[in-house]
Amino acid sequence: MARFFAKRTLTAIIQVLIVTTIVFFALKMMPGDPVLLMLSRDGSSVDPAAYEALAKQLGLDKPILRQYRNWLTGLFTGDLGMSYTERRPVMDAIGDRLPRTLELAGASLLIAVVIGIPLGIAAAVKRGSWVDLLLTGISSLGQSVPVYVFGYILVLIFALNMRLLPSSGYVPIHRNPVEHFRRLILPACTIAFGFSASMLRMTRSSMLEALSSEFVRPLYARGLSKARVHMKHMVRNMLIPVVTIIGLQLGALIAGTVLCEAVFNWPGIATLLVKAISNRDYPLIQGCMLILSIIFIVTNMVVDLLYGLLDPRAR
Amino acid sequence: MKASRLTLLLTLVLVLVVALTGSGSANYRDEVRIGISVEPTTLDPHVHSNVSTRYILQNIYRSLVSYQTNGELGYEIAESHTVSEDGLVYTFKIREGVTFHDGTPVTAEDVKYSIERILAPENGATFRSYFAEVGTVVNALDDYTVEFVLQEPCAPFMEYLSLPESAIISKKWMEAGNDITTSAMGAGPYKFVGWDRGLQIDLEAYEGYYRPGLPKTKNVSFIFYLDETTRNNALLTGEVDIIDYVNAASVIQFEKIGGVKVYSKQGPFMLLQFNCGEHSPFSDWRVRQAVAYAIDREAVIDTAFSGRGKPLYGFPTIAGQLGYHGELDDYFYRDIEKAKQLLAEAGYPEGFTCNILATSDYSFHEQTALVVQAALKEIGIEAIPELPDWATRIERSQTGDFDIIVSGTLGKIVDMDWASVFYKSGDVRMDFSPHFHDEEIDRLLEEGRRELDEAKRNEIYQRFRERALELSPIVYICWREQAFVTSEQVEDFDFLSGTLSNQAGMFLEHVLVKGR
């Protein structure tokens, strides 16, 4: 297990390095000059002296390989540089935004699991009934409706018409905890809708598989009750594919926050990345991509490890 | 028992009276929340990064003079001024008792420091060239008298000083090592409280503000709402009281829904610039005029601005202003035959292929490009739309990497001298058709700026406008609206039309929000 863990960690580090290197050079090839962008605001021509001063200040006057080396050195000393648009260290910007995205993603995941798994089990147990039809029907809808459509529908119903919840925004928890959580509900439900749908379908099909598998009949033969068989023996087996789907979908979950954060004005890392790209804020883009790729790779790793725990054969 | 009942009654009445009178003064909220479309990337007041940032900074910083809410130039930090006979020396008296938010008085030294900071090229001040071209030298004569000495007369000099980017900053505060890009300290009605990145900027009324009784509301928050639909919804649900940059389609929606106040004024104009370089077909004025005759301005307004806008067939000076009486308003008209004829005369009877650069970040830019493309096709010009993101579009406009480009902009100052940035030959820059060069236009713009006699200036600029349309390095399409929407509780909000629509911040110190 320790060796397995060490091997996976090493691969993960190499993966992160490859991703950030690609991002670094892709950025340099992307059209759009951050210095021009910061200076050419209102029609006036850009003064060469001002251009040079700013390029130097941002370290963009150095050759690309040198810039890359500087960034790598920074990476290993925990310094990701200064953001051009936030005008503070990239680490601080990400430190502010990442917890908000994780909070949103976590809340969505929680809602999706709480809704998706029990309903999936119910659909499987009542296979072919109207309950099953209804649930699978809604879940196809959930999987196919884009986040921004469903988000605006929720806003329309709960904020604009019923006036139950705020339409958007973010209030730091230390300022007002109640308002903080009220603003979390709609975006979290928006992401959870699609996510719980795929969770429901996955749970349903793996539960069906478990129901028809061979180890079930002897359990009944030993006189165990139906509920006990379902809950104790089948759920554990069924959880393996479900954990996989959660892990695989975490990436999609983070990606889903991009649109959701925009729709609900939720200031997380996704909106930060979008802002960074549209301003060609190189250090900030690199920083965000670094963190996001770490999240991706680490979740995959954790899924691998969880696999080992749930299924001894995978160890 | 009776006595105590009477006391109780009296107490109740008293409580009621207190409550009522109390609510009389508490009728207005102590906070106004504004949903703005952009998060600032710098708080440096000498850099114009975008109109929304200017809207915030106008409340923190003030210049010596500025356009007032009645549309006239008026004093801010200055209380009076004189101009020497030859128009070369401007002497300002600073209003005594004007203080920065740290309580220190604003002195001539601060004014000198501020303008010299703008003049230093490495600071990247947006309007540096305005002051540099006329060779501005600033002298502090005593604590409250400051003098500007110019190398040549400059009729619009007061306008340069009135720009929000000519803000007076504190020398002492700067020398104490404060970062002016992330923090702010001026002499305006509101002081800077904090910038919560990704969320909002908070301001608080400055008690020492030089206009007694203002600002009317104690706290102002600018909340960043980048998504348009989300911003609109935030206003409808009362998350914010005021929103900026409401587009035409949303204005129509808001007017239909009602229950809000819509403020819509004539704002920026849409235009086409051309690459006038030697090898480009657009180096020939006949080709540019052909475009001016070919494009369907009404179709642009209908498509890109939901029918809200005013076609511009001449020069963007409004009749009745700046000595102009509307003579050129119908200079162009839609005439495909005439356009074809002009193209043939220029040597392109079969037309040619070129690109038209816009951006997909703003749908009205994109749609304008597509409508123009369709019109040009009718005269044989195959204009291929290129729609990169805004950052790429900016870079390409600054390097002249396009044949035709779609722009939406405004003159930076009210005076006709605004046209200098757009027409005077020189480096490639955003609001200019690259490589365009005409000696007469250069001369007229120089003369116009130097001439101090109003009547003579009007003549010069009339000739300039004719020449500008004749050569058409820039083809104007239409005026579009600038719109704000507020909740019904907001009182005394407003802004001005045209160039001054970009200085809406001057009105905020008057704004009140009724309690709900």
Side-chain angles (χ1 to χ4, degrees):
Chain A
M1 194 70 188
R3 212 178 137 194
F4 175 66
F5 183 75
K7 212 171 107 188
R8 291 294 287 125
T9 312
L10 193 70
T11 335
I13 290 172
I14 293 169
Q15 280 170 323
V16 169
L17 274 180
I18 291 174
V19 170
T20 50
T21 305
I22 292 174
V23 169
F24 185 92
F25 289 100
L27 278 182
K28 300 290 165 185
M29 287 194 291
M30 187 160 76
D33 179 343
V35 181
L36 271 184
L37 206 59
M38 288 167 88
L39 289 175
S40 58
R41 293 305 186 179
D42 211 42
S44 48
S45 54
V46 172
D47 193 283
Y51 187 97
E52 225 167 88
L54 188 57
K56 195 164 171 207
Q57 188 199 326
L58 303 180
L60 292 173
D61 54 337
K62 302 190 179 74
I64 287 186
L65 283 176
R66 180 79 174 283
Q67 289 181 37
Y68 180 62
R69 210 185 65 195
N70 288 348
W71 190 75
L72 273 188
T73 329
L75 181 61
F76 287 107
T77 53
D79 172 18
L80 296 180
M82 285 288 281
S83 155
Y84 311 159
T85 52
E86 297 254 313
R87 297 191 182 263
R88 56 178 177 161
V90 169
M91 283 301 245
D92 292 1
I94 293 176
D96 262 5
R97 303 283 198 121
L98 184 63
R100 298 178 190 156
T101 295
L102 292 181
E103 183 189 1
L104 180 57
S108 318
L109 182 63
L110 190 72
I111 298 172
V113 167
V114 166
I115 295 175
I117 294 183
L119 289 184
I121 296 176
V125 174
K126 304 265 178 212
R127 186 186 180 184
S129 71
W130 64 270
V131 177
D132 184 24
L133 278 177
L134 187 72
L135 286 176
T136 42
I138 292 178
S139 71
S140 335
L141 200 69
Q143 279 184 309
S144 50
V145 175
V147 162
Y148 53 89
V149 174
F150 190 65
Y152 283 133
I153 291 175
L154 288 188
V155 169
L156 199 65
I157 298 174
F158 294 102
L160 289 171
N161 282 334
M162 297 172 71
R163 305 260 160 167
L164 279 176
L165 292 165
S167 62
S168 60
Y170 176 87
V171 174
I173 197 159
H174 59 81
R175 247 190 243 171
N176 188 339
V178 176
E179 285 301 312
H180 174 85
F181 288 112
R182 281 185 37 158
R183 280 168 175 74
L184 179 63
I185 299 173
L186 288 186
C189 288
T190 303
I191 302 178
F193 183 50
F195 199 39
S196 64
S198 49
M199 200 89 81
L200 186 151
R201 295 179 83 86
M202 194 63 209
T203 309
R204 180 181 175 273
S205 62
S206 72
M207 189 71 185
L208 281 177
E209 202 180 313
L211 279 172
S212 60
S213 59
E214 289 184 358
F215 73 88
V216 174
R217 212 167 299 170
L219 291 174
Y220 287 124
R222 272 167 53 195
L224 294 178
S225 74
K226 200 169 176 185
R228 200 179 151 90
V229 171
H230 284 175
M231 286 306 124
K232 179 140 190 267
H233 295 275
M234 279 183 200
V235 168
R236 190 186 158 120
N237 269 288
M238 172 217 83
L239 272 182
I240 296 171
V242 171
V243 167
T244 320
I245 211 75
I246 292 177
L248 289 178
Q249 291 255 341
L250 269 185
L253 189 65
I254 302 278
T257 60
V258 176
L259 292 168
C260 195
E261 283 182 11
V263 168
F264 290 98
N265 217 30
W266 186 268
I269 198 165
T271 38
L272 183 70
L273 179 59
V274 171
K275 180 177 94 170
I277 291 172
S278 53
N279 283 292
R280 301 292 188 271
D281 188 341
Y282 294 154
L284 192 55
I285 302 176
Q286 277 151 223
C288 288
M289 289 305 290
L290 173 77
I291 298 298
L292 289 176
S293 55
I294 288 177
I295 293 178
F296 254 73
I297 290 164
V298 167
T299 31
N300 277 331
M301 209 172 100
V302 170
V303 170
D304 274 3
L305 294 174
L306 271 183
Y307 241 56
L309 290 179
L310 286 170
D311 185 353
R313 282 172 300 177
R315 269 176 219 164
Chain B
M1 206 44 199
K2 256 187 190 164
S4 69
R5 244 186 222 174
L6 194 66
T7 335
L8 189 69
L9 192 70
L10 279 175
T11 320
L12 272 176
V13 169
L14 200 67
V15 166
L16 202 66
V17 167
V18 169
L20 281 177
T21 47
S23 74
S25 58
N27 210 357
Y28 289 106
R29 286 190 2 224
D30 65 353
E31 181 194 39
V32 52
R33 297 161 62 85
I34 303 166
I36 57 165
S37 51
V38 185
E39 173 168 7
T41 53
T42 173
L43 298 182
D44 187 338
H46 294 156
V47 174
H48 182 190
S49 39
N50 55 61
V51 177
S52 298
T53 304
R54 189 189 238 192
Y55 193 50
I56 301 171
L57 293 177
Q58 268 193 295
N59 294 287
I60 306 173
Y61 292 100
R62 285 294 151 98
S63 308
L64 283 174
V65 291
S66 83
Y67 275 96
Q68 306 295 306
T69 49
N70 62 3
E72 305 282 332
L73 264 180
Y75 295 110
E76 290 289 328
I77 283 170
E79 66 173 7
S80 65
H81 84 289
T82 54
V83 187
S84 66
E85 195 90 355
D86 56 6
L88 291 178
V89 183
Y90 285 71
T91 313
F92 285 87
K93 204 92 199 131
I94 294 168
R95 211 191 277 246
E96 273 184 57
V98 177
T99 53
F100 287 114
H101 301 152
D102 63 357
T104 57
V106 179
T107 65
E109 273 304 320
D110 295 308
V111 177
K112 182 176 158 71
Y113 178 84
S114 304
I115 304 300
E116 285 177 351
R117 179 172 187 272
I118 294 171
L119 280 165
E122 66 275 12
N123 290 325
T126 308
F127 299 108
R128 172 186 176 268
S129 63
Y130 287 39
F131 291 100
E133 275 177 27
V134 290
T136 314
V137 174
V138 199
N139 302 310
L141 300 183
D142 62 49
D143 275 1
Y144 295 103
T145 316
V146 65
E147 142 192 292
F148 295 84
V149 183
L150 316 184
Q151 302 310 305
E152 53 179 85
C154 173
F157 189 68
M158 286 292 276
E159 287 224 28
Y160 297 174
L161 289 174
S162 81
L163 284 163
E165 289 71 27
S166 299
I168 305 306
I169 59 175
S170 161
K171 182 181 177 183
K172 187 179 144 223
W173 187 76
M174 289 296 288
E175 286 177 349
N178 287 291
D179 183 357
I180 199 167
T181 63
T182 57
S183 182
M185 214 280 292
Y190 285 97
K191 55 187 182 195
F192 176 74
V193 177
W195 175 9
D196 203 341
R197 307 292 200 297
L199 287 178
Q200 61 193 71
I201 284 180
D202 295 307
L203 309 184
E204 191 190 340
Y206 174 50
E207 272 148 27
Y209 182 48
Y210 51 83
R211 288 204 174 95
L214 295 176
K216 293 218 174 123
T217 304
K218 187 159 179 276
N219 301 297
V220 176
S221 298
F222 295 89
I223 303 159
F224 317 133
Y225 270 97
L226 277 56
D227 184 82
E228 203 175 304
T229 317
T230 308
R231 194 162 67 246
N232 293 349
N233 287 339
L235 181 84
L236 289 174
T237 54
E239 292 289 301
V240 294
D241 308 301
I242 300 172
I243 51 173
D244 75 345
Y245 266 89
V246 185
N247 76 9
S250 302
V251 167
I252 294 172
Q253 278 292 321
F254 277 119
E255 283 177 347
K256 213 159 70 186
I257 304 170
V260 293
K261 296 182 185 171
V262 177
Y263 296 81
S264 164
K265 307 260 162 107
Q266 181 163 301
F269 40 78
M270 298 301 293
L271 54 89
L272 299 176
Q273 291 155 241
F274 304 94
N275 192 331
C276 302
E278 234 177 290
H279 304 291
S280 161
F282 297 108
S283 58
D284 191 319
W285 63 272
R286 286 169 295 198
V287 178
R288 303 191 299 255
Q289 274 210 3
V291 173
Y293 281 109
I295 53 176
D296 189 346
R297 292 166 172 81
E298 299 282 354
V300 171
I301 294 171
D302 288 343
T303 316
F305 304 103
S306 306
R308 299 176 69 99
K310 217 177 130 213
L312 235 169
Y313 289 99
F315 193 86
T317 301
I318 296 166
Q321 293 179 3
L322 304 162
Y324 171 68
H325 303 292
E327 304 87 339
L328 303 167
D329 278 3
D330 303 316
Y331 193 93
F332 292 110
Y333 39 89
R334 187 145 201 261
D335 190 336
I336 295 295
E337 285 317 306
K338 185 151 188 173
K340 278 185 181 160
Q341 192 191 330
L342 280 163
L343 265 191
E345 280 169 25
Y348 300 98
E350 303 300 317
F352 54 85
T353 303
C354 64
N355 65 43
I356 177 166
L357 179 64
T359 173
S360 52
D361 278 3
Y362 298 101
S363 59
F364 60 88
H365 275 257
E366 178 173 349
Q367 285 155 356
T368 301
L370 298 180
V371 175
V372 170
Q373 177 201 17
L376 293 186
K377 205 171 197 149
E378 288 184 53
I379 59 168
I381 300 178
E382 195 68 51
I384 299 157
E386 292 183 14
L387 306 164
D389 76 334
W390 183 244
T392 310
R393 186 257 182 221
I394 293 261
E395 181 182 87
R396 289 181 61 180
S397 78
Q398 283 286 8
T399 50
D401 179 15
F402 59 85
D403 295 321
I404 308 176
I405 189 170
V406 174
S407 295
T409 185
L410 265 176
K412 310 314 162 207
I413 51 173
V414 175
D415 189 275
M416 257 320 287
D417 182 49
W418 68 263
S420 290
V421 175
F422 289 65
Y423 287 90
K424 205 187 261 178
S425 61
D427 299 332
V428 176
R429 55 186 186 263
M430 245 169 110
D431 288 341
F432 174 67
S433 287
H435 312 299
F436 173 74
H437 173 82
D438 181 61
E439 268 160 30
E440 190 183 351
I441 280 189
D442 285 352
R443 186 176 51 77
L444 288 167
L445 288 171
E446 289 279 332
E447 278 178 12
R449 181 154 79 191
R450 228 178 284 136
E451 182 58 62
L452 297 177
D453 181 80
E454 179 101 12
K456 281 189 196 154
R457 287 194 83 206
N458 289 347
E459 264 174 53
I460 294 170
Y461 282 120
Q462 183 63 11
R463 175 68 200 123
F464 159 76
R465 282 187 286 258
E466 283 166 17
R467 183 80 180 152
L469 288 174
E470 213 174 290
L471 296 180
S472 280
I474 293 173
V475 168
Y476 298 95
I477 304 173
C478 65
W479 294 97
R480 68 172 204 250
E481 68 188 328
Q482 185 80 286
F484 285 81
V485 177
T486 78
S487 72
E488 282 202 311
Q489 282 77 23
V490 174
E491 292 177 4
D492 298 329
F493 173 88
D494 208 353
F495 68 103
L496 300 168
S497 65
T499 301
L500 296 176
S501 66
N502 282 349
Q503 296 188 21
M506 291 301 292
F507 284 82
L508 264 186
E509 63 195 67
H510 299 282
V511 164
L512 284 166
V513 187
K514 255 197 259 167
R516 281 176 211 254

